Amino acid sequence: MLDERQVERLEVTAVNSAKTRQPLYTARQKVFPKRASGRFRQFKWLVMLVTLGIYYLTPWLRWDRGPYAPDQAVLLDIANRRFYFFAIEIWPQEFFYVAGLLVMAGIGLFLVTSTVGRAWCGYTCPQTVWVDLFLVVERGIEGDRNARIKLDSAPWSFAKLWKRTAKHAIWLVIAVATGGAWIFYFADAPTLLGHFVTGQAEPVAYITVAILTTTTYAFGGLMREQVCTYMCPWPRIQAAMLDENSLTVTYNDWRGEPRSRHAKKAAAEGLSVGDCVDCNACVAVCPMGIDIRDGQQLECITCALCIDACDSVMDKIGKERGLISYATLADYQANMAIATDPATRAIDPGRVRDADGKLDKRISHFHIRRLFRPRTFVYAGAWSLVGVGLLIALLSRDRLDINVLQDRNPQYVVLSDGSIRNGYTVKLLNMVPEPRSFELSIEGLPGAVMSVVGIDQLETRSITIDAEPDKLKTVRVYVRQPREQLSQGQGFSFVVADKAGAERDTYAAKFNVPEATR
């Protein structure tokens, strides 16, 4: 066990501290976060690897849909108005599936925030992921925190010039790759890449890459924490999602105060001393430039790197981990009640420890059961309800559709034999990426027969029509009914059925006749 005097003291000021916060239009003060190590940092590495892998690699995944459909697993085919997601194909009229997924994403964000605070911001938000990636490049070239501060304040030299040039060049490569990966979701990735590098791609592709390159470079490399503090609305909204049982990153001042850099000396003098040795390690690793010891702040993204930094210090001085931890407001207030001296209303760290110097058994710790409460059940239920509804709709949807437009001018034609003929434009939608044969027939309207323009077949009540894969088949249909049967009803239905399967669809139509025959 080390003496607290052997703990490294970091000279660092919380740039975004509530105590020192400047007006909105003050020039940005640079934040040089120190590299952290620990379980939360490892988890962030894993999340960054998974999310970046999904983003960059997904357009290159293949999915065999047969010879009549693209083989890109995830494709937003704007030109043909299709959305492909592995085995799922979404048509424009089915956009409610996408809307449903967005609703699920919103409810899921509420659910996560109400249980574990701003976990989205701290681990999976694109801004957080790309800032982490840019910091990896920065540390690899310029060194850790102290080296970067020294380089930033040093006069320009060859060493500083090449380091800054190399860093920004790699940042630009990452930004270009980010914009390039995005456009690959909207066209066949290998083909578009070939067209892009040879200058044959559409102008919109180059414009999109330029815009995303600029925003990625500026947000991830230059603005960083300012995006979260000033541009993102979620810090202002998320407070409404939290309650006393929500997990948030918390400085447990009930055991840390009063803080001292000379704990042993203060203890020898009979002074009350908490566990915090005021080393500023938590401030040094914070990518947002805040001091978590100031309490809950809108700038905090709950990335938990301060927990890793503090735990490493506690290990060195032989104290229990958790001086900074994920905690609920209910547990924090219960522990504060134990630590507070009723007479002086001051925190007495001795009140939270037993005779052996261990944390008192009365101290409240987080338990998983706190996550299961009415609010989370409501969010989880709503999320599940939307998801189940979308799944049922997806599994039960038809891949065949019929729509009919009846002629309005003329409404009917009287043929030489006295029979009446109506004209219709019938649209058959084949929503499967393979050719199909449909049987178009009429139900009702006794004695009526139909003919299809372009199909050499005698008038009948049923006609076979071939449809191309993933296409709308439009045919011109004439329905004729003998004059002597006109009084037997004017309503009927067009029925289309897949000859090779069980799918069918019906459209209720009307047959117009002269007024005198009704």
Side-chain angles (χ1 to χ4, degrees):
M1 181 177 65
L2 298 178
D3 188 278
E4 65 272 6
R5 291 173 293 181
Q6 297 176 270
V7 175
E8 179 185 9
R9 307 292 177 182
L10 299 171
E11 298 301 324
V12 55
T13 301
V15 171
N16 288 323
S17 170
K19 300 177 181 178
T20 60
R21 187 176 293 124
Q22 299 296 314
L24 178 62
Y25 296 106
T26 302
R28 174 180 182 253
Q29 297 183 50
K30 294 183 179 179
V31 178
F32 300 92
K34 181 181 175 63
R35 179 169 182 171
S37 60
R39 50 185 173 149
F40 291 106
R41 177 66 266 184
Q42 291 175 353
F43 181 67
K44 281 175 66 67
W45 288 133
L46 177 62
V47 172
M48 184 175 75
L49 180 64
V50 171
T51 52
L52 290 177
I54 291 174
Y55 178 73
Y56 287 119
L57 299 179
T58 296
W60 302 94
L61 298 178
R62 303 292 100 181
W63 188 269
D64 186 13
R65 299 186 181 92
Y68 302 101
D71 64 351
Q72 186 163 310
V74 179
L75 176 64
L76 297 169
D77 191 354
I78 302 298
N80 295 306
R81 294 177 294 177
R82 303 285 189 280
F83 172 39
Y84 297 97
F85 185 80
F86 294 92
I88 301 173
E89 178 183 359
I90 302 298
W91 285 63
Q93 65 269 30
E94 298 177 317
F95 191 78
F96 65 88
Y97 289 110
V98 179
L101 290 176
L102 293 177
V103 171
M104 288 185 66
I107 298 175
L109 187 57
F110 295 161
L111 173 61
V112 170
T113 303
S114 68
T115 53
V116 291
R118 291 175 63 185
W120 160 262
C121 299
Y123 300 100
T124 55
C125 175
Q127 174 66 13
T128 297
V129 172
W130 264 273
V131 167
D132 268 357
L133 181 59
F134 278 37
L135 280 173
V136 169
V137 175
E138 185 172 272
R139 291 193 188 101
I141 295 175
E142 297 182 356
D144 207 355
R145 181 176 182 275
N146 292 338
R148 300 203 307 279
I149 293 176
K150 182 178 180 181
L151 181 68
D152 188 68
S153 60
W156 282 99
S157 62
F158 176 76
K160 182 174 181 177
L161 179 62
W162 84 259
K163 286 183 178 180
R164 288 293 169 86
T165 302
K167 177 182 74 173
H168 287 277
I170 296 176
W171 281 0
L172 281 172
V173 170
I174 295 173
V176 171
T178 302
W182 178 253
I183 65 173
F184 292 150
Y185 283 90
F186 296 87
D188 182 66
T191 303
L192 180 56
L193 178 61
H195 290 169
F196 190 88
V197 298
T198 58
Q200 302 177 53
E202 295 293 330
V204 66
Y206 296 101
I207 295 172
T208 301
V209 171
I211 293 174
L212 292 179
T213 296
T214 302
T215 53
T216 303
Y217 174 78
F219 292 173
L222 305 180
M223 298 176 67
R224 294 183 180 175
E225 76 286 346
Q226 289 186 309
V227 174
C228 304
T229 303
Y230 301 116
M231 297 177 63
C232 181
W234 189 239
R236 281 86 181 165
I237 299 173
Q238 58 93 25
M241 301 292 105
L242 302 178
D243 59 25
E244 65 277 5
N245 291 310
S246 301
L247 273 178
T248 58
V249 174
T250 305
Y251 168 62
N252 296 308
D253 49 2
W254 50 266
R255 60 167 278 198
E257 300 295 324
R259 68 188 75 160
S260 173
R261 295 192 174 189
H262 307 286
K264 286 191 174 181
K265 180 178 178 181
E269 295 175 356
L271 301 177
S272 178
V273 180
D275 290 348
C276 180
V277 295
D278 203 19
C279 63
N280 290 327
C282 55
V283 182
V285 301
C286 181
M288 296 299 296
I290 67 171
D291 189 342
I292 191 62
R293 296 172 296 181
D294 291 338
Q296 293 297 318
Q297 299 154 74
L298 67 85
E299 295 89 352
C300 180
I301 60 173
T302 65
C303 63
L305 295 182
C306 53
I307 297 179
D308 284 339
C310 187
D311 283 349
S312 66
V313 173
M314 292 297 103
D315 290 342
K316 291 177 181 178
I317 64 175
K319 298 288 187 178
E320 301 92 341
R321 290 186 169 196
L323 178 57
I324 301 176
S325 65
Y326 269 105
T328 66
L329 179 61
D331 289 334
Y332 172 82
Q333 290 177 336
N335 295 335
M336 278 294 291
I338 297 174
T340 303
D341 189 324
T344 63
R345 308 305 301 171
I347 296 176
D348 180 4
R351 295 174 60 87
V352 300
R353 296 190 179 276
D354 56 24
D356 297 327
K358 303 295 183 180
L359 287 177
D360 195 285
K361 294 181 179 179
R362 297 176 298 165
I363 296 299
S364 298
H365 299 282
F366 169 74
H367 193 279
I368 192 67
R369 65 174 177 271
R370 287 194 178 275
L371 299 181
F372 301 100
R373 57 192 193 278
R375 172 179 290 198
T376 54
F377 282 125
V378 169
Y379 287 142
W383 185 87
S384 300
L385 185 63
V386 175
V388 171
L390 289 177
L391 184 60
I392 293 174
L394 185 65
L395 296 177
S396 60
R397 64 178 180 166
D398 292 328
R399 300 287 78 199
L400 169 62
D401 187 52
I402 182 174
N403 190 36
V404 179
L405 299 176
Q406 185 173 10
D407 290 353
R408 292 288 180 253
N409 188 21
Q411 292 188 0
Y412 58 87
V413 173
V414 180
L415 302 180
S416 59
D417 62 356
S419 60
I420 306 299
R421 187 181 73 182
N422 283 198
Y424 304 86
T425 299
V426 178
K427 298 181 179 181
L428 305 176
L429 184 58
N430 177 19
M431 304 171 70
V432 174
E434 60 185 34
R436 290 202 286 178
S437 292
F438 297 140
E439 183 178 51
L440 179 64
S441 59
I442 54 177
E443 289 184 353
L445 211 62
V449 291
M450 67 177 175
S451 61
V452 177
V453 176
I455 296 181
D456 187 12
Q457 183 176 334
L458 296 176
E459 290 183 320
T460 180
R461 293 180 66 86
S462 177
I463 296 178
T464 299
I465 299 175
D466 294 328
E468 298 180 34
D470 259 348
K471 295 288 185 180
L472 178 68
K473 179 73 172 183
T474 302
V475 293
R476 183 77 175 148
V477 178
Y478 290 110
V479 177
R480 182 178 64 86
Q481 187 178 33
R483 187 178 186 86
E484 60 272 13
Q485 294 182 301
L486 291 179
S487 61
Q488 298 187 27
Q490 301 167 19
F492 74 104
S493 298
F494 281 104
V495 179
V496 60
D498 183 0
K499 298 188 70 173
E503 276 191 294
R504 69 193 304 269
D505 197 15
T506 302
Y507 187 94
K510 181 180 179 181
F511 189 81
N512 293 322
V513 298
E515 191 73 26
T517 62
R518 297 179 184 176

